[in-house]
């Protein structure tokens, strides 16, 4: 009995700590993030109400088409709390994803959010991988939505004739993005060639060559 009570108390304590650290449940109507302050446990401190302006809650950062003239032929414009502080503590954000014909949003992970996307223009192949390596993918046209579970590797490639445009929504104000290739091969300081060579079962020279593509 004694141990049962102890267990219940422990569970209550754990759940309280969990709520304190991870809850996305704001204690106020809004908390326009003060971008000059460092992020605290789960967001930015609130700007004083008297300093809050209309611009804090409206954001035109996704109006402009991204520049896809790069090696991948894609560009992601982020509308997260760091750009749009009205999102602070609301647990949501959006990205604009422009992809040139043949362009690729390379395999990446959002460590802090699931993603729901909507195809506004073009034809894209969207795919993600489960932890046990099952590959789920589908060709999507205008109007289709997709769901990428939190933390899983995913990508999008424009397989249409024209440009593609996707709007993605996240259940985090700052989902984070880990691009698998550049994370491993473009790290600073660099991961030793022998580690990458062994991990990918290739010669060290191959690992070094791929690193060269991601340096700088
Ligand atoms: C797009 O990026 C390329 C490569 O960085 C640059 O040369 C070009 O001027 C940019 N285009 C626009 C419209 O900014």
């Amino acid at each position: 009995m004694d141990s049962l009570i102890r267990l219940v108390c422990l569970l209550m304590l754990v759940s309280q700590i969990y709520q304190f650290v991870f809850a996305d449940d704001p204690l106020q109507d809004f908390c326009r993030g003060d971008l000059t302050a460092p992020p605290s446990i789960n967001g930015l401190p609130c700007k004083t109400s008297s300093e809050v302006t209309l611009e804090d809650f409206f954001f035109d950062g996704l109006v402009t088409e991204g520049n896809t003239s790069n090696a991948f032929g894609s560009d992601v414009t982020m509308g997260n709390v760091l750009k749009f502080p009205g999102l602070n503590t609301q647990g949501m954000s959006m990205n604009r994803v422009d992809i040139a014909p043949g362009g690729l949003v390379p395999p990446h992970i959002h460590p802090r959010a699931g993603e729901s996307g909507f195809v506004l223009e073009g034809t894209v192949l969207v795919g993600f991988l489960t932890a046990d390596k099952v590959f789920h993918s589908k060709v999507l046209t205008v109007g289709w939505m997709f769901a990428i579970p939190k933390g899983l590797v995913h990508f999008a490639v424009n397989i249409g004739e024209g440009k593609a445009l996707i709007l993605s929504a996240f259940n985090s104000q700052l989902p984070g993005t880990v691009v698998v290739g550049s994370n491993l091969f473009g790290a600073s300081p660099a991961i030793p060639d022998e580690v990458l060579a062994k991990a990918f079962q290739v010669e060290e020279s191959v690992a070094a060559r791929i690193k060269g593509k991601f340096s700088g």
Side-chain angles (χ1 to χ4, degrees):
M1 192 59 197
D2 216 30
S3 62
L4 184 64
I5 290 169
R6 269 207 295 266
L7 180 66
V8 170
C9 288
L10 181 68
L11 287 176
M12 282 167 67
L13 181 68
V14 168
S15 102
Q16 276 180 6
I17 291 173
Y18 183 87
Q19 283 178 22
F20 177 66
V21 177
F22 299 106
D24 245 333
D25 227 3
L27 301 175
Q28 57 284 311
D29 284 351
F30 61 81
C31 170
R32 188 282 192 202
D34 178 357
L35 295 183
T36 61
S40 62
I41 292 170
N42 204 18
L44 295 160
C46 315
K47 237 170 96 171
T48 323
S49 296
S50 59
E51 290 175 353
V52 170
T53 68
L54 200 59
E55 282 67 41
D56 291 333
F57 301 99
F58 298 91
F59 177 63
D60 67 358
L62 304 192
V63 170
T64 311
E65 185 175 339
N67 185 347
T68 57
S69 300
N70 54 54
F72 293 114
S74 69
D75 191 62
V76 177
T77 310
M78 296 180 189
N80 60 40
V81 70
L82 299 181
K83 304 270 194 63
F84 185 12
L87 295 172
N88 194 41
T89 72
Q90 297 297 320
M92 59 191 188
S93 58
M94 291 187 121
N95 281 354
R96 174 192 174 120
V97 184
D98 290 282
I99 320 176
L104 170 73
V105 180
H108 63 282
I109 293 163
H110 302 291
R112 293 182 290 279
E115 170 175 357
S116 68
F118 180 80
V119 181
L120 279 160
E121 197 176 336
T123 306
V124 285
L125 171 69
V126 173
F128 71 93
L129 292 140
T130 64
D132 49 0
K133 294 185 291 188
V134 180
F135 176 43
H136 298 277
S137 71
K138 188 168 174 65
V139 172
L140 305 178
T141 50
V142 172
W144 276 79
M145 274 187 79
F146 59 86
I148 307 293
K150 178 176 174 172
L152 298 186
V153 175
H154 60 286
F155 66 84
V157 58
N158 181 352
I159 58 167
E161 305 277 307
K163 66 186 251 18
L165 176 61
I166 295 170
L167 191 63
S168 272
F170 301 89
N171 59 343
S172 165
Q173 62 200 18
L174 191 61
T177 301
V178 177
V179 182
V180 179
S182 62
N183 192 249
L184 287 170
F185 290 91
S188 173
I191 299 176
D193 287 352
E194 60 180 294
V195 172
L196 294 168
K198 188 142 257 164
F200 287 89
Q201 295 289 291
V202 294
E203 302 296 319
E204 286 188 25
S205 60
V206 175
R209 201 161 77 230
I210 301 174
K211 264 186 181 172
K213 306 270 182 198
F214 289 100
S215 62

